[in-house]
Amino acid sequence: MKVTIIGSGPSGMHFARTALERGQAVTLIDLGNRGPQPPLKGSAYAALKSALPDPVSYFLGDDYNGAELPAAPGAPPSAYYRMPPSKAHVFARPPQFALTEDGLYPLISFAAGGLAECWTAGAYPFDDTDLADYPFGHTELAPYYAEVARRIGVAGRADDLSGFLPVHGHMSEPIALNDASASLLTKYERKRHRLNARHEIRLGRSRQAALSLALGSRDGCTRCGRCLWGCPNGALYTPAQTLADCLADPRFTYVPGRYVSHFDLAPDGQIAAVVSHPAAGGAAERHGADAFVLASGALNSSAIHLRTIWHARRETPRLGGLMDNRQVLAPFYNPAMLGRAHNPASYQYHQLAVGLPAKGRGHYVHGQITMLTNGSVHPVIQQLPLGLRTSRQVFAALRSGLGVLNVNFHDTRRAENYVALDPDRTDATGTPVLKLRYRPTEDEPERIAGAMTAMRRFFFDLGAPLVPGMARIRPMGTGVHYAGTLPMSAVAQEHSVNASGQSHDHPNLWVVDGAALPFLPAKNLTFTLMALATRAASKMF
Amino acid sequence: MTGTIFITGGAGLVGTALLNRLRQSDARLKLLLRTSALKAPRAARDQVIWGNLGDPSTYGARLKGVETVIHLAATTGKAAPQEFRRINVDGTAELLRASKRAGVKNFLFVGSIAAGYTDTRYYAYAESKRQAEKLVVESGLRCVILRPTLILGRESSIWKTLTKIATLPVVPLFGGGKVLVQPVDVADVVRAITTILEQDWFAGETFELGGKDAMPMRAFLDLVHRSCAGGPARFLPMPLKPVQHLLALVEPVARKFLPATAGQLCLFANSSASGRNRLWEALEPDMPTTADLVARLSKVRVPARPQEAPRQPTPDDVLTREARIFANYICGRGITSDISDHYLKAARTLAIDHQPADRFDRMTLAFARRGVGFAWLADSYAAIFNRGGMLRRRMVLLMSILENAPSSHGLFEQSPSRGPVAAVLKLGLSGIAETGVLVMATAIFVPVRILLALSSPFNR
Ligand SMILES: Cc1cc2nc3c(=O)[nH]c(=O)nc-3n(C[C@H](O)[C@H](O)[C@H](O)COP(=O)(O)OP(=O)(O)OC[C@H]3O[C@@H](n4cnc5c(N)ncnc54)[C@H](O)[C@@H]3O)c2cc1C
Ligand SMILES: NC(=O)c1ccc[n+]([C@@H]2O[C@H](COP(=O)([O-])OP(=O)(O)OC[C@H]3O[C@@H](n4cnc5c(N)ncnc54)[C@H](OP(=O)(O)O)[C@@H]3O)[C@@H](O)[C@H]2O)c1
Ligand code: SF4
């Protein structure tokens, strides 16, 4: 069978790898932007600032976009994520692409490896509660989680969080904790009985797709603190690594540099070919295959699906059910670290996590704890209501104990949140552009307040209180876990797929990214996307 | 003037001018200089003693054969109270002892009009000068005390500070500005010293020495404003005592960065007019009026050459200078050229290199550019009341560069291990200093904001 996949993100790559392992020939079409190799492999974060010829350009960019300035009065709020210049390619958009946003401001990637070239590697398996609206439970997914963990290295431990985070096969030893996280975990372990008696929240090690020990050609983490700018050692998993593995397989054909517009349909509703243009612009080209796999990220897969309908019938339906995780950021301070030096030798992302269990119809709330080990400090320093000189000193004194709790909330599919084509705006080829619309539920403020109160009390009793008045609800889109627009459905209705991702609209099409999720738990979804893609390919071949 | 003269403080304002004059006489000069004055111009004939007033072993033996000591050296400006005591009082006592031991005949001490101030709360300098005078008079040597008022000269730091303050868009005026001042030309201080030497006036007298005319502080600042900036000054009345208390509170940690100390503000609390005496009367006919003196100095500041128009600072000059001051404020150190280059380029790329349209923004930026203390005041205010203003945007931009540049990034990474108690103490001190600066900044900027809001738009 000839299989053509669109997209080289985590979903596409794990589908491809599984298909190759099962003896299939695979073609992967992708826009495939590439970025620079991380420089000076042996240097830690701070050392780069002395060793690079022009560190200011490396860290702030030639356009100085890495500098986070206070917003001028009346100016629109600045971008909610400030990505480092070395990751600019991950978010670069081709000229063909345009978007109308209303209530949700997404990050979109056309990179080789997709959004996860810049992810924070949180890899959390869904449990039966999370999967309640899915056509299967955790037992069905468990072998695929184990398989993905074997491929990419997922680290974690059985601990108090295991009640929410199932322990899966091939879980590896996590990277050593940084000082600040270790201090927090020690506190938790010391007060565990009291905390567990008083609170429902549990704390434990995070689950991370990052290696403490070498695996294949990838080195173990050296705690150099450069994760955000690009791991020079390959310890932090990114899908480009799987792409490199696949490229070594002669049955794998990679076709980068192409922007996929839509599918040509055969009269029977099957897909006949995928229609793409060179990224730089130019004539359309058609690739035929027996089976087609949409793995372009939930939003782009939806767009390709919608453009297919528009080209076939000039219709612009809405795909309801768009979801993303709401995030709340709350800084906290661990006074046990006061007066202790800040130790920069650290893995940069979250090493601890907290979970607030589902109760009644309420869903599980997921929290990730990141310490301020390495990274730009000017965005933090300027937040203090003090002159910058004093702010710098205060920050230096408190830094070793400062952390951020990132609280994530589940989302449900609702008809009023949709993606569609915008009839009022067309791209260069005359096709209407993608439009997103999102509104939170009415009870959201109440849900957030409830969970944050629980978090506040827990962190207070833990001895690392949240900084009062500093918690921030982030705009929709910051979750970067877009899902739900072509969901798994037991009934064969339009704009949906079956339990293996096979489309109910076009029988030779599989949707294996976030679009197919019928419910979005609070946990980061990418580990599940990779497991689902692996499962879909295993069922197919 | 023959014989050997031993001079301390020869590299200072008065000292430099005095040496220029004495080198034309037959006197043999021995100069006590600190190595910090290594680059000061010296004549081949001078005997230089590298030493320190605080340590008599460095110069004691060299007083042999000296006929007259002219003691100018003193800790001046912004220093800690114990430093004033150590150099000005203890140092003078040592010098007197060594002079007596060596058989010095005459001792000329340059004191200060401040020694006669009645309100000297916080003014450790005045107190130290008073005590030193007393030591001199009681030493038993043939002595004389010269008490100059404000000394003006082209290199005088007082003049530089005055022009900075007097040319602000609004000039802070503490306590109404009614006290009298009577500035004296540095050349007349030199004339006073040579007159004393020539007339051998070492009879234990104290001569106060002001210029030709006395005037209220307010009128004097207005005069400086008119000749440096053109047009009358706009004054911002400020209460003197509260500001002094505040400054005194933050001084222990922030002295280096303050535009002025609580003690220095005593200038606004006391009359600095000099009494009449035979020395002043002898010199007065040839003294310039204060207006002439100010006019002369303000011209010296911007030398107008007949052919060439004076070079206006380019926008790049302004940004570079600003980067230097802001960096010094934020991290207490200077910058390398790669940092100022990036600052220029970044400000341009992010389109924040232009003059802000908002008048208050423009004013705070100009204020902050005057120096580190000014930058702190302006930023402290902006951190709360004007976060998105041009000043904050530029400072944060600079900080983002400093954070990544080879020469300064370390400052943003270190967070010392000093134990919880010391850390809390350090935080407390920073907090007190910041609060003090903020209160002062509010006292300055809130009225300015109101003034600007009230004044008509065609003033823009
Ligand atoms: C800062 C950040 C942190 C994150 N942290 C985490 C985390 O800790 N844990 C977690 O689980 N998730 C995290 N994520 C989310 C994670 O990256 C995404 O869920 C994941 O990448 C989605 O994978 P995907 O393969 O479905 O789609 P994508 O990663 O979006 O990949 C899409 C692919 O399709 C290609 N493509 C798209 N449209 C076209 C087209 N029209 N023509 C040709 N090619 C096309 C692109 O080139 C790309 O290769 C994070 C994301 C970001 C940005
Ligand atoms: N300027 C005025 O308006 C004013 C008014 C009234 C009275 N006075 C008095 O007049 C005198 C001269 O004033 P000025 O304006 O010329 O002062 P100045 O410019 O500050 O010079 C002071 C000199 O003293 C030297 N000095 C300081 N501490 C010393 C030490 N420990 N050992 C050796 N030398 C030391 C300095 O040496 P370095 O060069 O190495 O720093 C400097 O050369 C002072 O006594 C001052 O109190 C001045
Ligand atoms: S995972 Fe992060 S800390 Fe570890 S080696 Fe890679 S960049 Fe360095």
Side-chain angles (χ1 to χ4, degrees):
Chain A
M1 184 164 20
K2 251 181 86 182
V3 187
T4 293
I5 305 172
I6 302 159
S8 66
S11 311
M13 285 328 305
H14 285 271
F15 188 97
R17 171 137 181 204
T18 313
L20 289 171
E21 278 171 5
R22 290 174 186 244
Q24 296 297 316
V26 172
T27 300
L28 197 148
I29 304 185
D30 189 16
L31 203 102
N33 289 329
R34 296 256 183 193
Q37 284 302 309
L40 305 174
K41 185 170 176 225
S43 296
Y45 171 70
L48 279 185
K49 298 184 179 183
S50 303
L52 284 172
D54 185 359
V56 175
S57 294
Y58 179 75
F59 286 103
L60 298 184
D62 286 330
D63 55 3
Y64 299 94
N65 252 329
E68 194 162 327
L69 305 191
S78 61
Y80 55 73
Y81 273 122
R82 207 157 284 272
M83 297 305 178
S86 56
K87 289 294 175 67
H89 67 283
V90 179
F91 306 100
R93 296 175 177 186
Q96 296 93 331
F97 181 82
L99 182 68
T100 303
E101 299 155 308
D102 175 11
L104 188 140
Y105 310 90
L107 291 178
I108 287 180
S109 175
F110 290 91
L115 286 168
E117 289 303 302
C118 195
W119 75 330
T120 53
Y124 295 91
F126 291 2
D127 63 9
D128 281 333
T129 354
D130 301 323
L131 294 168
D133 291 345
Y134 286 65
F136 41 75
H138 176 77
T139 324
E140 167 65 18
L141 270 188
Y144 304 106
Y145 280 130
E147 171 58 14
V148 174
R150 187 187 64 78
R151 291 175 185 167
I152 73 174
V154 173
R157 269 201 193 144
D159 58 16
D160 275 10
L161 283 179
S162 304
F164 318 131
L165 308 176
V167 172
H168 52 77
H170 294 287
M171 212 158 87
S172 58
E173 181 60 20
I175 294 164
L177 289 180
N178 54 41
D179 295 356
S181 298
S183 159
L184 213 59
L185 187 59
T186 312
K187 272 189 170 178
Y188 177 76
E189 278 161 359
R190 222 178 36 230
K191 302 183 182 175
R192 183 147 170 231
H193 283 299
R194 202 148 34 100
L195 287 169
N196 285 0
R198 258 200 235 166
H199 300 272
E200 292 176 295
I201 295 174
R202 297 290 177 269
L203 184 147
R205 301 291 294 243
S206 63
R207 301 288 178 85
Q208 285 281 338
L211 303 175
S212 54
L213 299 170
L215 177 74
S217 59
R218 295 162 59 198
D219 290 335
C221 175
T222 59
R223 306 214 285 162
C224 70
R226 291 169 55 177
C227 314
L228 177 63
W229 290 268
C231 176
N233 303 312
L236 187 89
Y237 174 73
T238 71
Q241 295 166 353
T242 308
L243 176 58
D245 291 347
C246 291
L247 283 169
D249 190 321
R251 289 159 308 160
F252 183 71
T253 311
Y254 184 49
V255 188
R258 304 209 63 85
Y259 179 76
V260 172
S261 160
H262 61 283
F263 294 120
D264 274 348
L265 295 183
D268 61 355
Q270 299 252 29
I271 289 177
V274 44
V275 182
S276 69
H277 302 266
E285 219 174 80
R286 286 172 163 72
H287 282 82
D290 303 317
F292 296 86
V293 178
L294 264 181
S296 320
L299 299 178
N300 270 316
S301 289
S302 304
I304 294 169
H305 175 79
L306 287 167
R307 289 194 293 257
T308 301
I309 296 170
W310 189 81
H311 278 279
R313 313 199 284 270
R314 287 295 185 271
E315 286 170 13
T316 56
R318 283 179 180 177
L319 306 181
L322 174 63
M323 300 183 281
D324 187 18
N325 295 120
R326 175 69 87 182
Q327 293 194 329
V328 178
L329 291 187
F332 66 87
Y333 184 66
N334 173 8
M337 296 298 289
L338 183 65
R340 277 177 64 181
H342 144 70
N343 178 0
S346 166
Y347 174 71
Q348 204 182 1
Y349 296 139
H350 69 285
Q351 297 197 291
L352 299 177
V354 285
L356 173 63
K359 204 168 56 178
R361 254 330 272 164
H363 287 278
Y364 170 79
V365 177
H366 184 62
Q368 304 181 152
I369 298 173
T370 308
M371 307 306 301
L372 293 183
T373 51
N374 286 295
S376 288
V377 298
H378 74 273
V380 188
I381 292 179
Q382 63 177 293
Q383 301 297 322
L384 303 181
L386 303 165
L388 293 174
R389 183 187 173 78
T390 309
S391 301
R392 182 179 66 72
Q393 292 165 342
V394 169
F395 175 76
L398 300 183
R399 178 177 196 168
S400 58
L402 273 176
V404 179
L405 170 67
N406 179 357
V407 186
N408 284 243
F409 295 85
H410 79 277
D411 202 2
T412 51
R413 296 191 64 247
R414 279 164 289 130
E416 69 266 29
N417 297 332
Y418 59 83
V419 302
L421 294 186
D422 184 352
D424 302 331
R425 247 179 106 192
T426 52
D427 64 18
T429 65
T431 317
V433 307
L434 189 66
K435 173 180 172 179
L436 313 177
R437 195 246 189 214
Y438 188 94
R439 297 289 180 273
T441 58
E442 266 174 26
D443 71 338
E444 186 192 54
E446 209 178 300
R447 277 192 290 127
I448 293 180
M452 291 314 292
T453 303
M455 291 289 177
R456 198 169 307 117
R457 292 190 179 137
F458 173 79
F459 273 77
F460 186 84
D461 284 354
L462 175 63
L466 302 188
V467 183
M470 291 279 279
R472 292 280 173 275
I473 299 177
R474 311 207 71 209
M476 282 312 291
T478 49
V480 207
H481 300 155
Y482 315 122
T485 44
L486 295 166
M488 292 179 200
S489 158
V491 265
Q493 54 194 3
E494 55 171 3
H495 315 310
S496 70
V497 300
N498 71 14
S500 306
Q502 185 175 15
S503 167
H504 286 137
D505 304 274
H506 318 291
N508 62 342
L509 173 70
W510 276 256
V511 179
V512 301
D513 57 26
L517 302 194
F519 168 75
L520 187 65
K523 290 169 199 166
N524 323 37
L525 81 180
T526 310
F527 191 26
T528 303
L529 295 183
M530 296 185 273
L532 286 174
T534 304
R535 176 175 176 271
S538 311
K539 301 262 175 209
M540 239 172 117
F541 313 111
Chain B
M1 277 177 290
T2 48
T4 305
I5 306 177
F6 181 93
I7 301 171
T8 69
L13 168 70
V14 177
T16 312
L18 178 67
L19 291 179
N20 281 341
R21 169 70 188 79
L22 291 182
R23 282 177 187 137
Q24 294 159 19
S25 73
D26 296 330
R28 300 193 332 135
L29 306 180
K30 284 189 177 180
L31 312 180
L32 173 65
L33 292 179
R34 292 197 287 190
T35 42
S36 52
L38 215 46
K39 291 209 190 85
R42 294 193 303 276
R45 231 155 35 97
D46 301 343
Q47 289 186 38
V48 174
I49 300 146
W50 297 110
N52 194 310
L53 201 53
D55 179 5
S57 71
T58 55
Y59 63 82
R62 311 290 294 273
L63 281 165
K64 275 260 154 352
V66 168
E67 189 178 327
T68 303
V69 169
I70 301 179
H71 181 28
L72 300 172
T75 294
T76 58
K78 296 181 285 183
Q82 56 274 24
E83 192 56 18
F84 284 121
R85 214 168 310 118
R86 195 174 73 79
I87 302 302
N88 298 0
V89 184
D90 302 346
T92 302
E94 295 288 3
L95 179 62
L96 285 167
R97 244 193 308 277
S99 300
K100 278 205 318 212
R101 221 179 299 129
V104 168
K105 244 171 74 192
N106 310 317
F107 197 98
L108 190 158
F109 178 64
V110 177
S112 164
I113 193 79
Y117 280 180
T118 46
D119 179 353
T120 55
R121 178 136 189 232
Y122 303 127
Y123 206 12
Y125 168 74
E127 198 45 50
S128 72
K129 287 303 242 187
R130 194 183 348 245
Q131 286 180 28
E133 284 187 5
K134 195 157 167 273
L135 290 172
V136 173
V137 175
E138 290 167 358
S139 68
L141 287 166
R142 294 184 78 230
C143 66
V144 63
I145 288 162
L146 184 63
R147 275 186 183 175
T149 58
L150 270 188
I151 306 177
L152 298 187
R154 78 174 81 172
E155 289 311 319
S156 111
S157 57
I158 285 240
W159 170 251
K160 287 178 190 157
T161 313
L162 264 176
T163 50
K164 254 190 206 168
I165 294 176
T167 53
L168 286 172
V170 265
V171 182
L173 191 66
F174 299 96
K178 290 192 208 69
V179 295
L180 293 179
V181 286
Q182 191 178 345
V184 60
D185 188 352
V186 64
D188 290 326
V189 179
V190 172
R191 282 210 295 143
I193 295 173
T194 51
T195 305
I196 290 171
L197 295 177
E198 279 158 7
Q199 307 294 326
D200 194 28
W201 280 350
F202 288 95
E205 268 169 296
T206 296
F207 296 118
E208 292 188 347
L209 185 72
K212 201 177 197 95
D213 46 343
M215 60 175 68
M217 184 58 129
R218 188 189 166 103
F220 175 60
L221 289 175
D222 190 55
L223 189 64
V224 178
H225 183 88
R226 280 169 195 277
S227 51
C228 293
R234 251 202 278 184
F235 287 105
L236 177 66
M238 307 249 293
L240 176 60
K241 287 291 150 191
V243 173
Q244 279 189 305
H245 295 325
L246 250 167
L247 282 170
L249 199 67
V250 299
E251 261 172 49
V253 278
R255 184 175 296 112
K256 208 165 83 186
F257 306 102
L258 295 175
T261 64
Q264 287 175 316
L265 289 191
C266 282
L267 188 58
F268 287 87
N270 295 279
S271 166
S272 301
S274 77
R276 287 171 161 257
N277 52 60
R278 57 175 173 151
L279 177 64
W280 182 80
E281 276 162 3
L283 302 177
E284 189 270 341
D286 292 330
M287 283 180 175
T289 62
T290 306
D292 285 346
L293 177 58
V294 165
R296 192 178 81 212
L297 290 174
S298 57
K299 270 198 217 90
V300 169
R301 244 165 50 86
V302 189
R305 286 194 210 115
Q307 302 302 323
E308 277 169 59
R311 193 177 93 94
Q312 286 290 322
T314 64
D316 278 13
D317 294 342
V318 175
L319 282 173
T320 309
R321 208 185 106 72
E322 166 183 309
R324 212 171 296 136
I325 288 169
F326 290 0
N328 226 315
Y329 154 60
I330 296 171
C331 14
R333 57 166 82 162
I335 50 171
T336 44
S337 62
D338 61 322
I339 295 177
S340 49
D341 289 352
H342 271 300
Y343 184 66
L344 256 67
K345 197 172 142 220
R348 215 154 281 145
T349 312
L350 300 174
I352 55 168
D353 57 328
H354 55 86
Q355 272 285 351
D358 178 79
R359 261 202 306 167
F360 184 73
D361 253 16
R362 219 153 52 214
M363 197 232 104
T364 35
L365 193 59
F367 183 92
R369 276 190 195 128
R370 280 171 185 269
V372 172
F374 293 89
W376 191 351
L377 282 165
D379 181 39
S380 195
Y381 179 86
I384 295 184
F385 301 111
N386 196 17
R387 291 180 75 81
M390 184 62 94
L391 175 71
R392 265 310 259 204
R393 291 167 66 74
R394 292 230 190 129
M395 280 191 179
V396 169
L397 173 63
L398 180 66
M399 184 165 69
S400 73
I401 294 168
L402 290 168
E403 180 193 348
N404 292 302
S407 56
S408 49
H409 74 90
L411 258 181
F412 292 84
E413 273 134 30
Q414 57 192 240
S415 94
S417 154
R418 42 157 79 98
V421 179
V424 167
L425 230 87
K426 171 89 189 49
L427 278 174
L429 281 178
S430 302
I432 292 173
E434 182 69 24
T435 313
V437 171
L438 176 65
V439 172
M440 245 189 304
T442 315
I444 297 172
F445 291 109
V446 169
V448 170
R449 210 159 195 176
I450 295 170
L451 262 175
L452 286 181
L454 291 180
S455 62
S456 53
F458 61 71
N459 263 344
R460 265 160 200 273

